[in-house]
Amino acid sequence: MGSSGFTAPTSHAVPRAGKADLPSGNVTFLFTDIEGSTRLWERDPAAMRVAVERHNAILDAAIAAHGGSHFKSIGDAYAVAFADAPAAVAVAATAQRALAAEPWGKVGELRVRMAIHAGEATPVG
């Protein structure tokens, strides 16, 4: 069991939402990860730091606009819970459009993988 708010094996998890903020029952999860981030960090750490801060702001704005609960981050990966699937899909679509439109400067195009999963979940901790 990790400190993420849900029962799951985790390491280096950074909780964002408290247990009271997390949905339960049939929950939809959005997971994101910057593609090739290790290579990008090695190539230009300063530019990547700026890019990740902007990436986080874009995701956080989309999540807030659609009522998601960002409950875990590991590196540049996000884990977000939603009470319903349409909200998760809306965040993924909104964030992908904003990420694609962003001028990323030295890091070049920032590609972010996203996956949506749904199932029964109960917050823990």
Side-chain angles (χ1 to χ4, degrees):
M1 182 183 334
S3 62
S4 63
F6 286 97
T7 304
T10 60
S11 63
H12 311 294
V14 179
R16 302 290 182 178
K19 180 180 176 182
D21 299 323
L22 297 172
S24 63
N26 189 11
V27 177
T28 302
F29 295 95
L30 171 67
F31 300 102
T32 75
D33 182 57
I34 297 175
E35 186 177 311
S37 62
T38 300
R39 176 183 44 77
L40 294 170
W41 277 105
E42 290 170 350
R43 188 175 69 202
D44 192 336
M48 191 59 178
R49 189 173 300 106
V50 171
V52 169
E53 287 175 9
R54 184 66 188 130
H55 158 272
N56 292 354
I58 289 169
L59 287 179
D60 290 341
I63 292 163
H66 295 282
S69 296
H70 175 193
F71 66 92
K72 180 175 62 173
S73 287
I74 300 176
D76 57 69
Y78 268 46
V80 186
F82 298 87
D84 60 67
V89 172
V91 167
T94 299
Q96 286 290 11
R97 281 192 296 272
L99 291 163
E102 188 70 20
W104 293 106
K106 286 184 172 183
V107 297
E109 180 184 15
L110 200 68
R111 297 173 53 94
V112 180
R113 296 179 283 218
M114 296 187 183
I116 296 173
H117 302 275
E120 291 293 316
T122 303
V124 296

